[in-house]
Amino acid sequence: MADNKIKIQNVLSEQFNKHRFIFWYDEDGTMEELVTGMEIEGVEILTLDHNAFSLKYRIQTGEQPERGFLIYSKESEPEPESNWLLDLQMEGMKFCADMASLYATECNIPLELKSRIVDEHIEFFKDEKNRTKLANIIRPRMSGAEVISTMLAVAANTALATYDQLTYILADECINEKTDIIDRLEKYNLLSTYWEMAEQAFGYVKERKVKDLVIVLFKDELASIIDNGVLTNEAHIFMRDWRDSRQYGAMYKRWAELLEVELGVMQQIQGEPIERLVRVETFPCVDKVIAKYLHKEVKNETITTEKVESIVDDRRNKIFFGVAQHTINAMLEARRLFEDIEKKMAGLSITSADEGFKMYVNELYVIDQHYRHFFHEAKLAESTNLVNDIIPKVEQTYTNKFLSVLANKWQPIVDAMDKWQITGVCTQRSFFSTHVSPFIQKGKRLFVIISDALRYETMKELEQRIAQENRMETT
């Protein structure tokens, strides 16, 4: 009893920091002895016993205690129309001394909400840390739903207990094979509140298990593009935000990698139209399937460069592009090579060294560039089987339809020249006088980088990159 008395006194003292009038209705008077011996600094204890008028006169005209009045009654609370102290009661608060009421008072929860909140979640309130956190967050006139949401946040150790934040937290716990938070929510009778939130937001109707929910979210997002989804648009927005999340994006990848194997996703999407596949971001295997599609189409030359570029542009910034990035880029460079050779080498005619030189530096060098880019990507390719299968075609096309044709047209021109000279092109012997001497004559410092066997197409790419840098230019 002594412990309860101290606890009640402490709770009441704390409440007198917020309210000047506290009414304690103790039907049957079970706590009368405790109240009689209670002392709260700066508080006067008055007994309400069919003396409402004299009590009110005392409160309004008598000496005023520093902190306020505790009005104790052994009767039940009167109906409002019979309560002559209702104005003071409305200005202050009601108090009860059972543990649930003490918890409610301590956490600033109105006693009208005690049954719905404290009684139904008593295990939550038995933990002093929970009560302390809750009391620091709850504000006056919060609704019951807002208080329960705050309790969810405290139990899940998060700032906001929104359906999406709680789903992230529970999904993370699930994939790490832990149950601390979900066990806590169940113990506190708060788990059903989360499921009601998730069901309403996502349109989820299956068993209330976290992994089942995650599976349905992944499957439905895929189905919404491949076939027909049944979940809400909010569910699809959640999946997008999950992928883009800095905090939870890595966890999304783990789930995607796990579920695509468990659900056999690669087998499901084989043969789906490419127009649908490029829109799917859900699973990593999608880019692998797209790489296979491009390999087949590029090898058979049944796809345009424009379409391959469009597919690559659509996938480049997707979360799983990296699983097949170099393989896909290799197919793109192969397609560019095939198309450029077909367009630029058909009916090739060179009538002079000047014409041949200009033709290469303006157009034909790009073919060499595609060839180099292809093998750069091929060396890094995630699927060696796909790139190795197309390498022979790339080499044969490059050698037979570009190098051989160009050599057959160019060599007779070179053989007929008396000396090597191209109009408007500086020779190596005149490089110093043309490009270096003007700087030296002005007293300027100049650095010349000499690279032996630097291919022209490589230099062009370097020139383009330099031109993109701030405060840099090339001539």
Side-chain angles (χ1 to χ4, degrees), residues 111-171:
L111 288 180
E112 305 87 71
L113 298 176
K114 179 182 77 72
S115 175
R116 174 186 171 189
I117 295 177
V118 183
D119 292 344
E120 290 188 14
H121 308 282
I122 193 67
E123 292 298 325
F124 174 92
F125 289 93
K126 286 180 180 179
D127 190 312
E128 184 178 357
K129 292 180 180 178
N130 290 342
R131 298 197 306 273
T132 301
K133 290 180 181 178
L134 194 63
N136 290 332
I137 300 172
I138 287 185
R139 297 291 176 263
R141 292 182 291 279
M142 287 180 75
S143 67
E146 290 172 324
V147 173
I148 291 176
S149 177
T150 306
M151 290 163 59
L152 268 170
V154 170
N157 195 27
T158 183
L160 292 174
T162 56
Y163 73 88
D164 50 352
Q165 183 64 24
L166 290 173
T167 303
Y168 293 144
I169 291 171
L170 295 177

Side-chain angles (χ1 to χ4, degrees), residues 60-210:
Q60 291 179 337
T61 62
E63 184 179 351
Q64 298 296 304
E66 181 181 349
R67 299 176 69 194
F69 295 93
L70 173 61
I71 297 98
Y72 171 80
S73 172
K74 294 186 293 183
E75 307 291 334
S76 61
E77 180 183 0
E79 294 297 324
E81 59 271 16
S82 303
N83 189 347
W84 299 105
L85 300 178
L86 183 61
D87 56 335
L88 300 179
Q89 184 174 307
M90 294 294 291
E91 184 180 341
M93 64 165 287
K94 289 187 295 183
F95 176 78
C96 292
D98 61 280
M99 289 309 299
S101 298
L102 290 176
Y103 292 152
T105 303
E106 181 181 350
C107 296
N108 305 315
I109 297 171
L111 288 180
E112 305 87 71
L113 298 176
K114 179 182 77 72
S115 175
R116 174 186 171 189
I117 295 177
V118 183
D119 292 344
E120 290 188 14
H121 308 282
I122 193 67
E123 292 298 325
F124 174 92
F125 289 93
K126 286 180 180 179
D127 190 312
E128 184 178 357
K129 292 180 180 178
N130 290 342
R131 298 197 306 273
T132 301
K133 290 180 181 178
L134 194 63
N136 290 332
I137 300 172
I138 287 185
R139 297 291 176 263
R141 292 182 291 279
M142 287 180 75
S143 67
E146 290 172 324
V147 173
I148 291 176
S149 177
T150 306
M151 290 163 59
L152 268 170
V154 170
N157 195 27
T158 183
L160 292 174
T162 56
Y163 73 88
D164 50 352
Q165 183 64 24
L166 290 173
T167 303
Y168 293 144
I169 291 171
L170 295 177
D172 187 53
E173 184 177 69
C174 181
I175 201 167
N176 287 303
E177 298 182 345
K178 296 179 180 179
T179 61
D180 296 352
I181 295 174
I182 200 165
D183 288 347
R184 202 153 59 232
L185 293 181
E186 182 149 22
K187 177 183 178 182
Y188 296 158
N189 195 25
L190 290 168
L191 189 56
S192 60
T193 303
Y194 161 71
W195 281 114
E196 289 166 6
M197 294 164 62
E199 287 163 352
Q200 181 177 1
F202 298 141
Y204 178 73
V205 294
K206 295 187 179 294
E207 192 171 0
R208 288 181 166 184
K209 292 183 178 180
V210 174

Side-chain angles (χ1 to χ4, degrees), residues 171-393:
D172 187 53
E173 184 177 69
C174 181
I175 201 167
N176 287 303
E177 298 182 345
K178 296 179 180 179
T179 61
D180 296 352
I181 295 174
I182 200 165
D183 288 347
R184 202 153 59 232
L185 293 181
E186 182 149 22
K187 177 183 178 182
Y188 296 158
N189 195 25
L190 290 168
L191 189 56
S192 60
T193 303
Y194 161 71
W195 281 114
E196 289 166 6
M197 294 164 62
E199 287 163 352
Q200 181 177 1
F202 298 141
Y204 178 73
V205 294
K206 295 187 179 294
E207 192 171 0
R208 288 181 166 184
K209 292 183 178 180
V210 174
K211 186 172 182 180
D212 288 354
L213 169 62
V214 174
I215 289 173
V216 169
L217 286 168
F218 272 82
K219 289 176 65 175
D220 193 80
E221 186 185 47
L222 178 63
S224 68
I225 297 174
I226 300 301
D227 189 15
N228 287 303
V230 297
L231 297 186
T232 63
N233 187 56
E234 197 69 31
H236 302 150
I237 293 173
F238 169 81
M239 292 295 284
R240 181 201 65 195
D241 292 346
W242 190 1
R243 276 191 296 275
D244 295 340
S245 170
R246 291 184 178 181
Q247 184 174 1
Y248 299 110
M251 186 252 294
Y252 175 94
K253 290 181 179 179
R254 289 179 63 193
W255 271 112
E257 291 164 358
L258 172 70
L259 294 182
E260 79 168 14
V261 175
E262 289 189 6
L263 302 176
V265 174
M266 181 173 279
Q267 291 73 29
Q268 294 178 34
I269 63 176
Q270 295 281 2
E272 287 292 338
I274 191 66
E275 292 76 15
R276 291 179 183 171
L277 287 179
V278 295
R279 295 167 49 212
V280 177
E281 300 184 61
T282 316
F283 296 102
C285 64
V286 173
D287 287 281
K288 297 177 183 178
V289 173
I290 290 174
K292 290 182 179 180
Y293 166 84
L294 291 176
H295 163 262
K296 182 186 72 171
E297 296 294 319
V298 170
K299 185 178 180 181
N300 296 332
E301 298 192 49
T302 51
I303 190 171
T304 65
T305 299
E306 182 181 11
K307 185 170 182 180
V308 179
E309 288 174 341
S310 175
I311 291 170
V312 175
D313 286 344
D314 282 339
R315 301 304 301 178
R316 195 179 303 281
N317 295 319
K318 299 292 190 288
I319 186 174
F320 293 118
F321 184 60
V323 304
Q325 173 182 353
H326 297 293
T327 306
I328 290 174
N329 284 338
M331 299 306 154
L332 172 60
E333 292 302 331
R335 181 56 221 161
R336 284 171 170 169
L337 178 80
F338 297 157
E339 188 166 296
D340 264 6
I341 289 176
E342 182 182 353
K343 289 180 178 179
K344 294 173 181 178
M345 300 307 291
L348 179 70
S349 174
I350 302 176
T351 59
S352 68
D354 285 3
E355 182 186 20
F357 185 86
K358 290 178 181 177
M359 191 177 295
Y360 184 83
V361 300
N362 291 330
E363 297 182 39
L364 298 183
Y365 78 90
V366 176
I367 295 174
D368 280 327
Q369 207 167 66
H370 295 326
Y371 185 77
R372 176 172 59 84
H373 286 170
F374 169 81
F375 278 99
H376 171 75
E377 297 293 345
K379 287 179 181 179
L380 301 172
E382 301 78 12
S383 174
T384 54
N385 290 337
L386 293 181
V387 295
N388 287 343
D389 185 59
I390 205 170
I391 282 176
K393 183 178 178 68

Side-chain angles (χ1 to χ4, degrees), residues 11-76:
V11 171
L12 283 169
S13 181
E14 175 65 28
Q15 294 306 310
F16 274 111
N17 293 331
K18 307 169 188 175
H19 306 282
R20 185 158 183 79
F21 304 107
I22 295 180
F23 285 74
W24 183 349
Y25 294 103
D26 176 30
E27 190 173 2
D28 298 328
T30 56
M31 306 296 286
E32 182 178 13
E33 182 181 348
L34 184 147
V35 175
T36 303
M38 186 180 293
E39 292 183 3
I40 303 173
E41 185 179 356
V43 175
E44 182 175 344
I45 300 174
L46 302 176
T47 299
L48 175 61
D49 185 13
H50 306 288
N51 58 342
F53 290 112
S54 61
L55 211 62
K56 191 167 190 177
Y57 181 80
R58 158 69 190 88
I59 291 172
Q60 291 179 337
T61 62
E63 184 179 351
Q64 298 296 304
E66 181 181 349
R67 299 176 69 194
F69 295 93
L70 173 61
I71 297 98
Y72 171 80
S73 172
K74 294 186 293 183
E75 307 291 334
S76 61

